[in-house]
Amino acid sequence: MNIISSSVTSLDLRSEDLGFDHESNNVDRLTFYSLFCLPSLTSLLIRDIRSWRGLQGHPSECLRQASTSNITCLNFPNSVPADRGLAEVLSWPKALRSYYHEAVPDEDNHYGPFTNFLSGAAFIDALNTQRETLEEFFLYTLDDASGSAWEALVDFSRFTGLRRLGISREYLTFSKADARATQKANPPISAGLPPRLEELQIEMPGDEFFECYFEGEWRPDSSSIESGEIIEWLCDIARNKKSNYTELKRVVIWRSRGTYPEWVNIEQCCGYDQIKKAFKESKIQITWMDCAVGELFSAS
């Protein structure tokens, strides 16, 4: 890695810049940690990290390096889901404020042979040291050929500073069909949202049209979401604003499809009037977007 000035405040790097070993899928831990030691560095973006192997250190080393970095903004595009190595990295910043994580399979639709990923709940636990300072968190995760990277809901209700959240629907609530099939508890979607939330972006499957979630509309056989179920989720969010997250002002329903933004008008769908009424009464703006990159992701 080339010498980096100690006065730099922002870095945009690729894994190759850190000597990423494509043979072993390893990132050198000392090189990686040295970036976090740069005294003026507050924003770090590293693309194409395809493994977090090699970043987990000895327990005594972990304790010594926790809360030592001045970095407040972390961004990992075109990466893989978190494992214990990344969990340790997330403990290094003193006060992380913004975190973006994009997990995308490779060209063979796999995350590679070195996969020992954390569950959704364990990933959120790894962020626990940042729960009072983290203000925005965006997680974009595509399933690989083996199925879902996470199979459990995540709870953000303890993240007292979190204001902007972008995450897949399946990590906020199970569909009724999935809940029945797995016999897992399925609390209301509002129960897992942070108390100071202002903007929420919910990612829906890219291969399903928004209209198929409403009564009387065509639905693909592969969809596990029953007609009208999305009405229940969204009305639950709106009706619990006063008790759970009084500052919520905007919800974006997004699916990653197409290249150019398209604002979808589904007000004619059966049952949409319930959503419209609940959001109007709660003074929350709702937007439906069909585009390559979610609006809140673009603004981060």
Side-chain angles (χ1 to χ4, degrees):
M1 184 174 68
N2 296 329
I3 297 175
I4 299 174
S5 169
S6 61
S7 61
V8 68
T9 59
S10 178
L11 284 175
D12 185 337
L13 303 172
R14 293 189 176 277
S15 59
E16 289 83 354
D17 300 327
L18 305 177
F20 182 82
D21 186 341
H22 288 278
E23 295 263 335
S24 64
N25 269 18
N26 264 342
V27 177
D28 181 74
R29 189 178 189 282
L30 291 178
T31 300
F32 205 85
Y33 180 66
S34 68
L35 295 174
F36 285 74
C37 294
L38 294 170
S40 299
L41 186 65
T42 57
S43 179
L44 177 61
L45 183 153
I46 306 177
R47 307 173 191 276
D48 309 327
I49 297 178
R50 304 305 300 173
S51 171
W52 301 102
R53 294 179 74 221
L55 289 175
Q56 190 171 359
H58 189 274
S60 62
E61 195 174 29
C62 300
L63 287 173
R64 187 172 67 253
Q65 293 173 339
S67 300
T68 56
S69 174
N70 292 325
I71 288 176
T72 59
C73 178
L74 273 178
N75 191 332
F76 297 127
N78 191 33
S79 185
V80 294
D83 66 10
R84 291 309 311 170
L86 177 59
E88 184 176 330
V89 170
L90 294 175
S91 73
W92 294 345
K94 299 173 186 174
L96 192 62
R97 290 190 170 83
S98 176
Y99 182 53
Y100 175 99
H101 189 118
E102 179 189 53
V104 182
D106 60 21
E107 59 272 13
D108 297 320
N109 199 28
H110 289 284
Y111 279 120
F114 307 106
T115 55
N116 187 21
F117 302 136
L118 299 177
S119 68
F123 185 24
I124 298 306
D125 283 344
L127 272 172
N128 221 15
T129 55
Q130 312 294 343
R131 62 188 172 93
E132 294 182 0
T133 62
L134 195 65
E135 296 176 1
E136 55 181 30
F137 175 53
F138 300 114
L139 178 69
Y140 176 54
T141 304
L142 288 178
D143 296 347
D144 70 356
S146 65
S148 178
W150 285 356
E151 294 182 350
L153 304 182
V154 294
D155 184 356
F156 294 96
S157 61
R158 296 179 299 165
F159 284 72
T160 55
L162 194 58
R163 296 177 179 274
R164 303 174 77 224
L165 173 64
I167 196 167
S168 171
R169 185 280 308 168
E170 62 184 336
Y171 304 143
L172 293 176
T173 185
F174 295 121
S175 67
K176 291 179 180 177
D178 287 342
R180 286 193 298 267
T182 60
Q183 297 185 331
K184 292 180 179 178
N186 196 20
I189 194 170
S190 58
L193 297 179
R196 297 185 67 187
L197 185 64
E198 295 179 5
E199 295 181 281
L200 172 65
Q201 180 167 284
I202 302 176
E203 177 194 348
M204 302 299 288
D207 58 351
E208 296 179 4
F209 292 99
F210 291 136
E211 293 89 336
C212 75
Y213 303 133
F214 294 86
E215 292 285 353
E217 303 289 342
W218 176 84
R219 291 174 61 248
D221 293 336
S222 59
S223 178
S224 66
I225 302 173
E226 298 176 6
S227 295
E229 199 167 354
I230 198 168
I231 299 174
E232 298 176 22
W233 297 334
L234 293 177
C235 287
D236 174 64
I237 290 172
R239 290 166 182 162
N240 283 280
K241 173 181 176 178
K242 187 176 291 186
S243 57
N244 290 18
Y245 29 78
T246 59
E247 299 172 64
L248 181 61
K249 58 186 179 184
R250 188 166 180 237
V251 173
V252 176
I253 312 299
W254 167 61
R255 68 171 188 154
S256 177
R257 187 180 177 92
T259 303
Y260 301 102
E262 177 184 338
W263 281 261
V264 182
N265 183 0
I266 58 171
E267 292 199 13
Q268 303 305 313
C269 292
C270 180
Y272 189 79
D273 56 328
Q274 299 176 53
I275 297 174
K276 185 175 181 179
K277 181 174 184 289
F279 274 71
K280 182 177 181 180
E281 290 176 349
S282 300
K283 298 180 180 179
I284 305 170
Q285 176 190 352
I286 184 168
T287 306
W288 301 72
M289 290 194 66
D290 181 342
C291 56
V293 180
E295 189 170 275
L296 295 190
F297 291 138
S298 304
S300 62

